[in-house]
Structure formats: C-alpha cells, structure tokens
C-alpha cells in the first residue's frame, strides 16, 4: 500500500496561484485485535504492519518474547491485525482500571471514535480565506514561540481573529496546545465561528476533528496535513491551509479554484 | 510552574567539548479525575491546566457546554485536576468498550503505566559513546528519509550498529516508527544490546521507555529530549544524545564529564 497520495491543491506564492498536484502522507487507521478482542486503533503509515503489531505488543507489555505469539494475521484492505497469543502476560481486562498515560505529543485521545467524525456537523458557512491575514498571523505566530526557541521541544497553537492574536499556548503536545486554547475559549465564552486556529504542528485527523467540533472553519499550519485530515476538511467544509512560510502557502481545502 | 528546567549537559562541537547548562522542556504528568474516577494522565507542559482540562473534556465528548461543569480543582503540585460535572454526556463506563483511536504521532500508549518505569531494568553496561559513529549514522539517517522529503509529514527511525543501518522505518507517528523497528527486530531475532536507535523526533519519556524495555543503551535524535526522558535516561543508564546536526551534538546522559 502506498504511503502517500496525490491531491489537487492550490499553491500560492506571493501573487501567483496555481492549482497543482501535491503528495500528502497517508494516515491509515489500523485496528489490533488480540484473541478476537479489539484492543485499539492506531493511526499510522500503512507499511510494516506486522512489525508495528509485534512492536506494539511488546512495548505495551502484552508479550515478553516472540514465542508468546501464536499468529498474526494482517489484512491491509480491512486495516486489521488479528493476533493470537500462546500466553498472555496479563489479562486484557486489567488494562482498563490502570492509570493510563497518553503521549505528550499525541495525547492519544483514547476515547476518540471514528463515529465522532460522522456526528460532527459540516460547517455551514466557512470564513472566506484571506491570504494577507493568514500570512500576517503566521508571522506574528512565529515570533511568539518563546519556549520553542529556548528548548526546541514544544508545539504552539494560536487563536486569531483576522491577524490579531486572541489566545496563544505552548505545550510538548500539539493536541494539548490546541485543547488549552479551546478550553480557555470555552471558559471565557469566546465566540469561535469568526476565528482561525494556527498550529506549529502537523494537521492530523484528530486535530481537525477537535476544531470541527467547535465550529471553527479555518485551520492553518506551517507544517503538513495528513490524507485523513484533508479528506475530513473537504467533508466538513473546513479551510485547511498548510506549509505557510513567508509568501508561500498551500490550500488543501477552501473555495478554490474560483478563489 | 516553570515550563523548562536547567540540566548540565556535555555540548560537542567538532573537537570542542564543554560541560554546560542547557534548558530542557518540562514533561509533566497531569491526571484528570471526573467525579472521583481517574480518567487518564496527560503528559503535558505545566501551564494553563484548567484550560487543558476543559478543552480535553469538550474534545473527548465529556461535556457539551461550560455549564455541564460544576467545578474544576487543579493541584499543580500533585499534578491532578479533579472535575465535578453537573451532567455527564454519557457514562464513563461506556468509553471502555468503544473502538479507541490514538494519535498517529503520540500513539498514546494507552496501557502505558508510570509503574513501567519502575519495572524496567537499569542497563548494566551501556555502549561507549563514539562521536564519529553518531555523526556518521545521523548523516546516513538524514539521507534516507524519502517520504519526509516528498510529503513533509512523517517521522523516521533507524536501528544502527556502529554507523551501519540495520532497519529503517517511517511513520506519521514517532512512536509507531519506533515500534515498527522494535517489532521487526523481535521477529528477526536481532540482538539489540550493541545497537543504537536514531530518531527524527523528540525524545519523550515514552520513547525512552520503549527503548529501555528492549535493553538498548543508546538513543540519538536530531531533535530535543524532554525533562522526563533525561531523568529516566539517567536513572536507567541510557546514553541520550540530542540535537545531532553536522559536527554539533548534545550529550544529556552518558559517561561525561570524563568522556
């Protein structure tokens, strides 16, 4: 299975606008079952899935050696990995009560559900993309990331109205930085329909869904989106703009080509 | 609470070696309880924790509006957020049976436990750090990341013996890329004690633990480590080397200053 996919996007460079093909990295949902029990779904690149399954089983403590595994059956088309174990290191039921930790970066939205995307409403009226606002906000955004400059270890996220900053947050996790913004906006009753989210990190399906759930119509990154994020943005009518660097930016979804 | 912390590290630039202070970003475990039930622990930056809690509750579907929340009690020292809800959007018990998805980036290791770090054995004899091998491997590693060059959206991970590549993997998630390597090594019965892991991504506590569990003594990144990763590396006797760029690199743990 391919690890990237071609999308038609609008590439902007200063005054120049061209509809072009662009390679976007595939975000592939892969569900692991152990002895017929569904364990979790990883969002990953669709390569080396057997290695991923084995590595996951070991890292998470399901197995202590290769010989604990009876069989692994990968179905690339269904996106499933069925594992049979000879010996379980502990009962699957034990996991649920444990203190669970999710990644600083991914945060892992362990309750996140594919069905969420179906429950999420399509944006009725998206903001009109304003190139100058986007470039100005990104310039402002880049200047603010103080902790990154000091440590090189964080993601930042900003809520903008036009090119004016409303909230700025940093976190070791890109999901956390966004949740902080969204939580503060909730606390302060900030209207979100006319606002734009800027992020330093990649736009994956989870980032896109968090934004969509709050009715925000525009998300801007200096980095790349994944295929699933582009698909969802198109489905949910969200402006998705990536690789904003100086005078350059890519519009993955928005009202192009008639922009 | 501060978002970064000073560590003494060994900074290398060509032939020059200096023990210096370096700012490392804090990785802070923050546990959210809802109506006294422990929900999960986020690894985050210790700022805007109330915003993070509210944003998390909303993003994960625990609440639909601010008025669903009765109170939020944050204890920065304990690293806890106790939430009381007026109205639950659904029963907490319902989550457990759902199809769960974790982040491509974070993968979220939903079964990962702090206790894992206590169960993980200290490396008895770490590899001796060889600067030339590290710089050579990183040069090789940088050349290999084909998918990144095409899409800008992936992390890569490599297993090296001295400066020779053994396995190379890419994934939208840095945890997945590492699990693929570790899984393939398990499948092929590759001895890991004399190997080094290279990663394009940040080194967080989860990355460090996965490596430690397999008895790998050296991890190298072109990016930054977090505070918790440095602390664990020192605890578990793992060589931790970051910001490897050309002739420059930072040794966060290893046999310095007498290197």
């Amino acid at each position: 299975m391919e690890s990237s996919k071609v999308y038609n996007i609008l590439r902007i460079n200063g005054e120049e606008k061209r509809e072009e093909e662009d390679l976007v990295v595939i975000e592939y949902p892969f569900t692991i079952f152990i002895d017929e029990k569904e364990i979790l779904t990883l969002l990953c690149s669709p390569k080396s899935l057997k290695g991923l399954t084995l590595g996951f089983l070991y890292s998470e403590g399901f197995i202590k050696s290769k010989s604990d595994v009876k069989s692994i059956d990968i179905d690339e088309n269904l996106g499933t990995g069925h594992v049979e174990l000879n010996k379980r290191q502990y009962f699957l039921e034990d996991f649920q009560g444990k203190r669970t930790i999710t990644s600083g970066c991914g945060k892992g939205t362990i309750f996140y559900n594919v069905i969420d995307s179906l429950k999420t409403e399509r944006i009725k009226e998206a903001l009109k993309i304003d190139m100058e606002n986007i470039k100005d906000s990104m310039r402002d955004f880049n200047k603010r990331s103080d902790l990154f400059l000091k440590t090189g270890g964080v993601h930042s996220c900003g809520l903008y109205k036009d090119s004016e900053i409303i909230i700025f947050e940093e976190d070791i996790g890109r999901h956390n930085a966004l949740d902080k913004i969204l939580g503060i906006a909730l606390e302060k009753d900030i209207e979100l329909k006319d606002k734009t989210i800027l992020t330093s990190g990649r736009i994956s399906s989870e980032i896109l869904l968090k934004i969509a759930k709050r009715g925000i119509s525009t998300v801007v990154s200096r980095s790349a989106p994944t295929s699933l994020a582009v698909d969802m943005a198109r489905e949910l009518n969200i402006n998705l703009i990536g690789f904003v660097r100086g005078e350059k930016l890519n519009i993955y979804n928005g009202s192009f080509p008639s922009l």
Side-chain angles (χ1 to χ4, degrees), chain A residues 199-227:
Chain A
T199 168
S200 61
R202 286 172 304 144
I203 300 175
S204 58
S205 60
E206 290 170 289
I207 294 287
L208 198 100
L209 272 181
K210 283 177 196 281
I211 288 168
K213 277 184 172 179
R214 297 297 288 279
I216 299 171
S217 70
T218 307
V219 54
V220 175
S221 172
R222 61 179 173 228
S223 178
T226 65
S227 62

Side-chain angles (χ1 to χ4, degrees), chain A residues 6-258:
Chain A
V6 173
Y7 285 79
N8 286 317
I9 68 156
L10 188 68
R11 209 184 295 278
I12 311 281
N13 188 353
E15 294 303 303
E16 201 184 345
K17 293 178 196 181
R18 278 185 304 176
E19 205 176 327
E20 283 186 355
E21 290 191 338
D22 188 60
L23 266 183
V24 175
V25 70
I26 297 268
E27 185 180 349
Y28 170 85
F30 176 65
T31 305
I32 296 177
F33 296 79
I34 299 181
D35 297 339
E36 296 305 314
K37 186 176 163 69
E38 185 178 318
I39 302 299
L40 94 170
T41 298
L42 301 172
L43 294 168
C44 64
S45 300
K47 285 263 166 79
S48 304
L49 296 171
K50 191 174 174 190
L52 177 61
T53 305
L54 261 177
F56 171 81
L57 293 174
Y58 193 102
S59 285
E60 304 305 330
F62 286 95
I63 61 171
K64 290 290 176 206
S65 78
K66 200 170 67 170
S67 63
D68 291 344
V69 179
K70 192 170 171 189
S71 66
I72 297 183
D73 181 21
I74 304 288
D75 188 321
E76 259 198 16
N77 293 323
L78 287 179
T80 56
H82 282 270
V83 180
E84 278 187 285
L85 296 182
N86 287 315
K87 184 188 165 193
R88 286 189 202 160
Q89 286 302 321
Y90 33 59
F91 292 105
L92 300 182
E93 291 69 27
D94 288 352
F95 293 119
Q96 310 295 5
K98 280 172 73 177
R99 176 168 166 141
T100 50
I101 298 217
T102 64
S103 159
C105 184
K107 212 188 76 179
T109 57
I110 60 166
F111 311 130
Y112 170 90
N113 197 306
V114 182
I115 299 159
D116 279 358
S117 62
L118 305 175
K119 280 193 251 162
T120 303
E121 276 179 45
R122 192 177 151 83
I123 301 279
K124 284 197 188 73
E125 207 170 340
L127 282 183
K128 182 141 176 53
I129 296 174
D130 180 318
M131 303 294 176
E132 293 312 312
N133 274 344
I134 287 169
K135 288 185 273 184
D136 288 347
S137 330
M138 188 55 83
R139 268 188 283 272
D140 177 83
F141 184 67
N142 287 336
K143 277 187 223 144
R144 287 177 191 272
S145 198
D146 181 43
L147 190 57
F148 179 79
L149 293 177
K150 277 193 285 191
T151 65
V154 295
H155 283 292
S156 41
C157 194
L159 184 73
Y160 283 79
K161 167 140 174 64
D162 303 325
S163 60
E164 185 202 339
I165 186 86
I166 312 292
I167 312 172
F168 181 82
E169 287 291 333
E170 293 176 303
D171 199 283
I172 56 166
R174 60 198 167 95
H175 297 83
N176 293 338
L178 176 57
D179 273 344
K180 284 176 176 179
I181 297 259
L182 297 176
I184 292 166
L186 195 68
E187 194 184 356
K188 296 188 174 169
D189 299 311
I190 296 171
E191 171 63 48
L192 291 175
K193 273 182 193 154
D194 58 345
K195 305 294 188 303
T196 295
I197 287 286
L198 268 75
T199 168
S200 61
R202 286 172 304 144
I203 300 175
S204 58
S205 60
E206 290 170 289
I207 294 287
L208 198 100
L209 272 181
K210 283 177 196 281
I211 288 168
K213 277 184 172 179
R214 297 297 288 279
I216 299 171
S217 70
T218 307
V219 54
V220 175
S221 172
R222 61 179 173 228
S223 178
T226 65
S227 62
L228 214 48
V230 178
D231 295 342
M232 285 181 178
R234 291 180 178 183
E235 188 64 38
L236 297 169
N237 191 30
I238 289 173
N239 297 317
L240 173 52
I241 297 141
F243 288 108
V244 182
R245 290 165 188 193
E247 288 299 308
K248 291 185 187 177
L249 54 92
N250 291 348
I251 300 183
Y252 292 90
N253 191 47
S255 51
F256 75 90
S258 54

